[in-house]
Amino acid sequence: MKAKDILKNMKPYKPGKGIEEVKKEFGLDRIVKLASNENPFGFSPVVEKELPKLISNLEIYPDGYGAEIRKKVARFIGVEENQLIFGNGSDEVVQIICRTFLEPGANTVMATPTFPQYRHNALIEGAEVREVPLVDGHHDLEGMLQNIDEQTRVLWICTPNNPTGVHIDLTTLQSVLERTPDHVLVVIDEAYYEYLEADDAFDSIEALNRYPNLMVLRTFSKAYGLAGLRIGYGVGHPEVIQILEPSREPFNTSTVAQAAALLALDDQKFIEETVDENRKNKKALMQFCDDHGLKYFDTQANFLLIHLPCSGDEMFEYLLTKGFIVRSGEALGLPNTIRLTIGKKEDMQEIQEAMKQKLASVDEQ
Ligand SMILES: *Cc1c(COP(=O)(O)O)cnc(C)c1O
């Protein structure tokens, strides 16, 4: 058998430790997972109540076009129905974009570290990946623009950026779009859009009117709390969507996921509550960091990247013994950091207490 050469050096996605695995290993009965930026408050109670009723006609293929969810999302964000493409998570929209635009001889420009799936999918398509290091947690947009040439097909911008949480302001993004050549598709990944509270935030949907080469990604996995159902979408110009459509599997989003997303979108009260709690708990966590001399990036998302006086792995291992799963920054290319999803108030108080103990023992050494 002969697979693509590039795959020889690639590893499958390594998920964070599983809850049951950690429970068993440390003899704990409760584990709090703060590793994947999932919603600690779950998902809309309306979806919970209605979901059992959605489980019918499972022998029938889903509506591949997603007519109802398409109509609902189009109305909700204020675009035409032919400006949307749905995916099995926005992850899949990333894959569809790469399948469509990337091939050997082409290149794609992105930050590093950022969401790893841009790079992963681009490599599989045989494209050259041009990674431009973050500067103090921010995209080096000037550096990224300088990397664009005739062979560049896609420019990836993640705002707020995963794993640093910082966002790109309106004026800056505007200027980047002005200076990006027309032959480059600019993909703005807004997986944490609902959490953005900065008043200089960019209105990407409005900008679609001015930039035909712009595409925006959103998801139901984060604030909407539906990560387990897998549904996200891309918004772009009708011509771009048309170019992408043949690369999409015909039945890529399930009947249940579409129906749940429809209900979730109607329950904006749940989103407001989620965002509100996140803001409060984030503030408290930042205060904790300030009190303990820990630096962090000014996040606009539901996670915080914290700099530590020890390695990220060491803090990760310690917190695991206390029943908390977080992300060590070592694997993300950010040594001596952890990325912490902002959880429920009680859990945050507990993890802060645990971190305090660990920091005290690091101080003594
Ligand atoms: C979580 C995440 C996604 C993917 O979400 P899906 O579950 O595939 O919709 C995309 N981009 C970023 C930056 C993320 O953090």
Side-chain angles (χ1 to χ4, degrees):
M1 287 185 289
K2 172 136 178 63
K4 294 183 182 180
D5 279 337
I6 189 78
L7 288 167
K8 286 188 197 129
N9 310 315
M10 294 177 79
K11 294 188 182 70
Y13 177 76
K14 192 166 156 270
K17 281 212 177 203
I19 292 184
E20 292 310 317
E21 186 188 341
V22 176
K23 269 191 194 166
K24 221 158 127 193
E25 190 174 344
F26 298 99
L28 299 161
D29 34 72
R30 203 177 77 97
I31 300 293
V32 181
K33 189 167 173 250
L34 301 172
S36 302
N37 307 334
E38 291 141 334
N39 188 333
F41 308 104
F43 53 94
S44 160
V46 180
V47 176
E48 189 161 13
K49 184 161 158 277
E50 300 293 324
L51 197 65
K53 296 181 206 160
L54 305 180
I55 305 190
S56 64
N57 301 114
L58 292 188
E59 74 283 11
I60 308 291
Y61 278 107
D63 170 5
Y65 187 66
E68 277 199 75
I69 184 66
R70 177 179 297 273
K71 193 192 264 176
K72 173 78 87 186
V73 170
R75 209 170 286 166
F76 185 72
I77 64 176
V79 298
E80 298 297 325
E81 289 175 29
N82 62 2
Q83 291 188 260
L84 295 168
I85 183 166
F86 289 87
N88 188 26
S90 53
D91 256 12
E92 200 204 11
V93 185
V94 171
Q95 188 190 53
I96 292 170
I97 292 170
C98 291
R99 272 184 90 167
T100 306
F101 289 99
L102 301 180
E103 60 190 330
N107 72 66
T108 179
V109 179
M110 63 192 71
T112 184
T114 188
F115 189 58
Q117 293 307 306
Y118 318 143
R119 175 178 197 271
H120 187 88
N121 285 293
L123 288 176
I124 293 176
E125 298 306 332
E128 179 199 341
V129 175
R130 300 187 174 173
E131 296 178 281
V132 180
L134 297 178
V135 175
D136 200 23
H138 292 262
H139 282 53
D140 172 11
L141 292 160
E142 297 307 319
M144 290 170 77
L145 284 173
Q146 279 165 21
N147 268 275
I148 290 176
D149 62 21
E150 283 303 311
Q151 270 56 259
T152 305
R153 304 274 178 89
V154 185
L155 173 69
W156 302 90
I157 296 177
C158 187
T159 175
N161 186 41
N162 180 1
T164 54
V166 301
H167 80 298
I168 303 168
D169 68 76
L170 186 149
T171 323
T172 308
L173 257 186
Q174 188 90 18
S175 138
V176 169
L177 282 164
E178 282 299 330
R179 290 180 292 150
T180 305
D182 294 341
H183 70 273
V184 177
L185 181 72
V186 182
V187 179
I188 303 188
D189 184 348
E190 298 186 330
Y192 301 95
Y193 170 76
E194 293 79 10
Y195 293 104
L196 255 174
E197 50 183 341
D199 40 23
D200 62 357
F202 181 69
D203 185 348
S204 55
I205 301 298
E206 185 266 334
L208 284 168
N209 296 321
R210 276 169 289 134
Y211 305 103
N213 59 334
L214 173 61
M215 178 130 193
V216 180
L217 306 186
R218 301 230 177 126
T219 180
F220 287 94
S221 297
K222 304 286 157 62
Y224 285 91
L226 296 176
L229 280 179
R230 313 303 302 125
I231 183 161
Y233 57 92
V235 199
H237 260 249
E239 298 78 39
V240 175
I241 301 297
Q242 247 179 32
I243 296 169
L244 291 168
E245 270 294 327
S247 306
R248 182 182 68 79
E249 280 182 51
F251 305 110
N252 62 332
T253 60
S254 72
T255 308
V256 178
Q258 291 180 25
L262 202 68
L263 292 165
L265 211 51
D266 267 338
D267 188 1
Q268 286 301 312
K269 188 163 151 270
F270 175 78
I271 299 297
E272 281 162 30
E273 286 165 2
T274 284
V275 170
D276 206 44
E277 276 304 307
N278 179 71
R279 183 187 307 123
K280 284 188 230 161
N281 299 338
K282 179 174 82 178
K283 260 198 175 156
L285 179 60
M286 286 174 164
Q287 186 64 52
F288 168 85
C289 291
D290 290 340
D291 292 347
H292 293 82
L294 302 177
K295 285 204 178 119
Y296 52 85
F297 291 119
D298 192 12
T299 186
Q300 290 284 320
N302 66 340
F303 57 85
L304 194 67
L305 194 96
I306 304 174
H307 294 266
L308 301 166
C310 61
S311 88
D313 285 354
E314 197 180 329
M315 183 60 92
F316 165 80
E317 294 291 343
Y318 178 80
L319 291 173
L320 213 48
T321 67
K322 302 287 172 187
F324 292 98
I325 309 176
V326 304
R327 275 281 169 173
S328 164
E330 308 301 320
L332 305 171
L334 291 161
N336 299 338
T337 67
I338 51 166
R339 191 193 67 192
L340 193 61
T341 303
I342 294 154
K344 289 183 178 154
K345 188 174 175 193
E346 320 79 77
D347 294 332
M348 294 312 284
Q349 283 166 346
E350 238 181 84
I351 197 172
Q352 282 160 212
E353 195 50 47
M355 283 175 69
K356 201 161 122 182
Q357 286 167 16
K358 175 68 190 165
L359 290 169
S361 81
V362 171
D363 271 351
E364 274 167 25
Q365 282 162 15

